[in-house]
Amino acid sequence: MKKLTALLALAITLAFSLASAKEVTVSVGAGQCWKQKSDPQFAVWLEDENGNFIRTLYVTQRASKKNWRFGPKEGRPESLPVWYHKSKNESAKTKNSPQKKSGEANIDAVTSATPKGGVIFKADIGSANCKIFAEFNTSFDYNDTYTKKNSGVNGQPSVVYMADIPSNFTESEIRLKLTGTGSPDGSDGKIHPLSPLLTTAVKIVKAVTVCK
Protein backbone atom coordinates (compact mmCIF):
# COMPACT_ATOMS: atom_id res chain seq x y z
CA MET A 1 0.00 0.00 0.00
CA LYS A 2 2.83 2.38 0.92
CA LYS A 3 4.59 1.56 -2.33
CA LEU A 4 1.43 2.25 -4.31
CA THR A 5 0.95 5.56 -2.51
CA ALA A 6 4.53 6.55 -3.21
CA LEU A 7 4.15 5.69 -6.90
CA LEU A 8 0.92 7.69 -7.08
CA ALA A 9 2.61 10.69 -5.46
CA LEU A 10 5.48 10.44 -7.93
CA ALA A 11 3.07 10.27 -10.85
CA ILE A 12 1.23 13.36 -9.61
CA THR A 13 4.51 15.22 -9.17
CA LEU A 14 5.65 14.32 -12.69
CA ALA A 15 2.29 15.29 -14.15
CA PHE A 16 2.42 18.63 -12.34
CA SER A 17 5.97 19.24 -13.57
CA LEU A 18 5.01 18.55 -17.15
CA ALA A 19 1.93 20.74 -16.88
CA SER A 20 3.93 23.62 -15.41
CA ALA A 21 6.81 23.37 -17.89
CA LYS A 22 7.03 26.31 -20.25
CA GLU A 23 8.62 25.89 -23.66
CA VAL A 24 9.74 28.99 -25.51
CA THR A 25 11.58 29.76 -28.73
CA VAL A 26 14.84 31.65 -28.37
CA SER A 27 16.05 33.51 -31.45
CA VAL A 28 19.56 34.92 -31.86
CA GLY A 29 19.71 37.16 -34.92
CA ALA A 30 23.06 37.70 -36.61
CA GLY A 31 24.18 41.29 -36.59
CA GLN A 32 26.33 43.35 -38.91
CA CYS A 33 29.52 42.06 -37.24
CA TRP A 34 28.43 38.47 -36.62
CA LYS A 35 31.47 37.09 -38.39
CA GLN A 36 34.66 39.15 -38.31
CA LYS A 37 38.12 37.54 -38.29
CA SER A 38 36.69 34.54 -36.42
CA ASP A 39 33.30 33.05 -35.57
CA PRO A 40 31.51 34.50 -32.54
CA GLN A 41 31.24 32.32 -29.44
CA PHE A 42 28.19 32.59 -27.22
CA ALA A 43 26.14 31.04 -24.45
CA VAL A 44 22.52 31.44 -23.36
CA TRP A 45 21.48 30.51 -19.83
CA LEU A 46 18.84 30.91 -17.12
CA GLU A 47 19.06 32.31 -13.59
CA ASP A 48 16.44 32.61 -10.88
CA GLU A 49 15.24 35.93 -9.49
CA ASN A 50 18.06 35.96 -6.94
CA GLY A 51 20.79 35.52 -9.54
CA ASN A 52 21.38 31.82 -8.93
CA PHE A 53 22.42 29.86 -12.00
CA ILE A 54 19.76 27.37 -13.18
CA ARG A 55 21.11 25.85 -16.40
CA THR A 56 22.63 26.52 -19.79
CA LEU A 57 20.23 26.54 -22.72
CA TYR A 58 22.74 26.89 -25.54
CA VAL A 59 26.51 27.17 -25.95
CA THR A 60 28.81 27.01 -28.97
CA GLN A 61 30.99 23.92 -29.19
CA ARG A 62 34.32 25.71 -29.13
CA ALA A 63 33.42 27.55 -25.93
CA SER A 64 31.97 24.40 -24.35
CA LYS A 65 34.91 22.15 -25.19
CA LYS A 66 37.50 24.94 -24.71
CA ASN A 67 38.89 23.94 -28.08
CA TRP A 68 40.74 27.17 -28.81
CA ARG A 69 43.21 27.56 -31.65
CA PHE A 70 46.63 28.20 -30.11
CA GLY A 71 44.88 28.58 -26.74
CA PRO A 72 46.41 27.59 -23.40
CA LYS A 73 45.48 24.24 -21.83
CA GLU A 74 43.23 25.95 -19.26
CA GLY A 75 41.22 27.54 -22.06
CA ARG A 76 40.30 31.16 -22.49
CA PRO A 77 38.14 32.31 -19.54
CA GLU A 78 38.06 35.83 -20.99
CA SER A 79 36.05 34.61 -23.98
CA LEU A 80 32.75 34.15 -22.06
CA PRO A 81 33.72 35.03 -18.48
CA VAL A 82 30.21 35.60 -17.11
CA TRP A 83 28.94 32.24 -18.37
CA TYR A 84 32.11 30.35 -17.36
CA HIS A 85 31.91 31.66 -13.79
CA LYS A 86 28.15 31.25 -13.46
CA SER A 87 28.06 27.73 -14.89
CA LYS A 88 31.29 26.69 -13.18
CA ASN A 89 32.64 25.49 -16.52
CA GLU A 90 29.89 22.94 -17.04
CA SER A 91 31.39 21.91 -20.38
CA ALA A 92 31.22 18.19 -19.66
CA LYS A 93 27.44 18.32 -19.26
CA THR A 94 26.64 19.43 -22.79
CA LYS A 95 25.62 17.47 -25.86
CA ASN A 96 25.99 17.89 -29.58
CA SER A 97 22.89 19.08 -31.40
CA PRO A 98 20.82 18.71 -33.43
CA GLN A 99 22.31 15.34 -34.43
CA LYS A 100 22.38 13.58 -31.09
CA LYS A 101 24.68 10.56 -31.11
CA SER A 102 23.34 7.13 -30.19
CA GLY A 103 23.63 6.43 -26.48
CA GLU A 104 24.37 10.03 -25.55
CA ALA A 105 23.03 11.25 -22.22
CA ASN A 106 20.00 13.52 -22.08
CA ILE A 107 21.04 16.90 -20.75
CA ASP A 108 19.83 20.48 -20.77
CA ALA A 109 22.30 22.43 -22.88
CA VAL A 110 22.37 22.36 -26.65
CA THR A 111 25.69 22.89 -28.42
CA SER A 112 26.62 23.37 -32.04
CA ALA A 113 29.29 24.88 -34.22
CA THR A 114 28.75 28.62 -34.56
CA PRO A 115 25.83 29.06 -36.99
CA LYS A 116 26.55 31.19 -40.06
CA GLY A 117 23.51 33.39 -39.67
CA GLY A 118 22.19 33.25 -36.12
CA VAL A 119 20.25 30.44 -34.50
CA ILE A 120 16.74 29.57 -33.34
CA PHE A 121 16.12 26.89 -30.73
CA LYS A 122 13.44 25.76 -28.30
CA ALA A 123 13.99 25.58 -24.54
CA ASP A 124 12.06 24.65 -21.43
CA ILE A 125 12.30 27.54 -18.96
CA GLY A 126 10.03 26.16 -16.23
CA SER A 127 7.10 28.02 -14.74
CA ALA A 128 8.68 30.40 -12.20
CA ASN A 129 9.93 33.95 -12.68
CA CYS A 130 13.44 33.82 -14.14
CA LYS A 131 16.10 35.77 -15.98
CA ILE A 132 17.61 34.84 -19.31
CA PHE A 133 21.15 35.87 -20.27
CA ALA A 134 23.13 35.69 -23.49
CA GLU A 135 26.86 36.42 -23.73
CA PHE A 136 28.75 36.94 -27.01
CA ASN A 137 32.41 37.39 -27.90
CA THR A 138 34.60 37.38 -31.00
CA SER A 139 38.35 36.80 -30.80
CA PHE A 140 40.73 39.36 -32.35
CA ASP A 141 37.94 41.96 -32.20
CA TYR A 142 40.28 44.94 -31.96
CA ASN A 143 39.54 48.65 -32.24
CA ASP A 144 41.38 51.87 -31.38
CA THR A 145 40.86 51.32 -27.63
CA TYR A 146 41.10 47.54 -27.35
CA THR A 147 44.29 46.86 -29.29
CA LYS A 148 46.42 43.79 -29.85
CA LYS A 149 48.99 45.25 -27.45
CA ASN A 150 46.66 45.87 -24.51
CA SER A 151 43.90 43.26 -24.88
CA GLY A 152 45.54 40.03 -26.02
CA VAL A 153 43.54 37.60 -28.14
CA ASN A 154 40.20 38.91 -26.96
CA GLY A 155 40.20 42.45 -28.27
CA GLN A 156 36.91 43.93 -27.09
CA PRO A 157 35.35 42.16 -24.08
CA SER A 158 32.29 39.94 -24.26
CA VAL A 159 28.90 41.63 -24.35
CA VAL A 160 26.00 40.46 -22.19
CA TYR A 161 22.26 40.69 -22.90
CA MET A 162 19.51 40.04 -20.32
CA ALA A 163 15.74 39.99 -19.87
CA ASP A 164 13.29 39.13 -17.10
CA ILE A 165 10.75 36.44 -17.94
CA PRO A 166 7.70 36.51 -15.63
CA SER A 167 5.86 33.36 -14.69
CA ASN A 168 2.74 34.77 -16.38
CA PHE A 169 4.56 35.30 -19.66
CA THR A 170 1.85 36.80 -21.89
CA GLU A 171 3.85 38.96 -24.32
CA SER A 172 4.26 37.67 -27.84
CA GLU A 173 7.97 38.50 -27.64
CA ILE A 174 10.52 39.54 -25.01
CA ARG A 175 13.71 41.16 -26.29
CA LEU A 176 16.93 40.87 -24.30
CA LYS A 177 18.67 44.19 -23.64
CA LEU A 178 22.39 44.88 -23.88
CA THR A 179 23.31 45.25 -20.22
CA GLY A 180 27.11 45.21 -19.88
CA THR A 181 30.35 43.38 -20.61
CA GLY A 182 32.31 40.50 -19.19
CA SER A 183 35.68 40.89 -17.52
CA PRO A 184 38.27 41.79 -20.20
CA ASP A 185 40.77 39.29 -18.75
CA GLY A 186 38.29 36.69 -17.46
CA SER A 187 39.31 37.21 -13.84
CA ASP A 188 35.72 37.43 -12.57
CA GLY A 189 32.16 36.62 -13.56
CA LYS A 190 30.68 40.05 -12.94
CA ILE A 191 28.74 42.02 -15.52
CA HIS A 192 30.69 45.24 -15.90
CA PRO A 193 29.21 48.58 -17.02
CA LEU A 194 28.83 48.99 -20.75
CA SER A 195 31.70 50.98 -22.24
CA PRO A 196 31.04 53.68 -24.87
CA LEU A 197 34.36 52.64 -26.44
CA LEU A 198 32.93 49.38 -27.80
CA THR A 199 32.40 49.31 -31.55
CA THR A 200 32.01 46.04 -33.47
CA ALA A 201 31.29 44.08 -30.26
CA VAL A 202 27.85 45.66 -29.93
CA LYS A 203 27.04 44.72 -33.52
CA ILE A 204 27.65 40.96 -33.21
CA VAL A 205 23.93 40.34 -32.79
CA LYS A 206 20.98 42.21 -34.21
CA ALA A 207 18.55 40.97 -31.56
CA VAL A 208 18.03 38.19 -29.02
CA THR A 209 14.37 37.39 -28.39
CA VAL A 210 12.19 34.93 -26.48
CA CYS A 211 8.80 33.99 -27.94
CA LYS A 212 6.01 31.79 -26.67
Side-chain angles (χ1 to χ4, degrees):
M1 185 65 181
K2 288 183 179 180
K3 187 175 181 180
L4 181 61
T5 302
L7 289 172
L8 181 60
L10 178 60
I12 292 172
T13 300
L14 289 173
F16 179 78
S17 297
L18 289 171
S20 62
K22 189 189 322 180
E23 187 178 71
V24 297
T25 299
V26 181
S27 176
V28 176
Q32 179 183 340
C33 299
W34 177 261
K35 184 174 176 62
Q36 296 289 310
K37 292 183 178 179
S38 61
D39 294 328
Q41 303 303 317
F42 63 97
V44 183
W45 71 94
L46 290 179
E47 295 182 15
D48 66 19
E49 290 182 291
N50 298 315
N52 298 306
F53 179 83
I54 298 176
R55 65 180 174 276
T56 301
L57 302 180
Y58 187 101
V59 61
T60 48
Q61 284 180 358
R62 190 173 297 281
S64 172
K65 296 180 179 180
K66 302 180 184 178
N67 182 23
W68 305 106
R69 296 188 184 96
F70 311 111
K73 184 178 292 186
E74 63 273 16
R76 288 189 48 233
E78 75 277 13
S79 59
L80 299 175
V82 181
W83 176 73
Y84 277 127
H85 280 80
K86 284 284 186 176
S87 67
K88 294 182 171 54
N89 299 307
E90 65 166 18
S91 309
K93 299 180 183 178
T94 57
K95 66 175 180 178
N96 291 328
S97 177
Q99 291 83 24
K100 184 180 175 184
K101 296 178 182 178
S102 176
E104 230 175 7
N106 236 343
I107 47 165
D108 294 316
V110 171
T111 73
S112 76
T114 302
K116 293 182 178 180
V119 65
I120 298 174
F121 63 94
K122 292 187 179 297
D124 174 18
I125 62 170
S127 59
N129 294 337
C130 63
K131 297 176 183 289
I132 185 168
F133 290 81
E135 184 175 21
F136 300 84
N137 180 261
T138 302
S139 300
F140 315 110
D141 194 9
Y142 303 119
N143 64 14
D144 291 341
T145 302
Y146 299 93
T147 68
K148 191 173 183 178
K149 289 184 178 180
N150 67 26
S151 57
V153 175
N154 222 34
Q156 297 170 72
S158 66
V159 288
V160 183
Y161 294 73
M162 188 276 288
D164 293 306
I165 302 181
S167 57
N168 58 341
F169 179 17
T170 56
E171 297 96 328
S172 58
E173 176 183 283
I174 292 178
R175 179 173 291 218
L176 279 67
K177 293 181 180 179
L178 181 59
T179 188
T181 71
S183 167
D185 62 2
S187 58
D188 64 57
K190 297 177 183 177
I191 297 177
H192 296 259
L194 199 62
S195 169
L197 301 175
L198 298 177
T199 53
T200 49
V202 296
K203 298 178 182 178
I204 296 173
V205 292
K206 184 176 182 179
V208 185
T209 60
V210 179
C211 301
K212 294 178 64 177

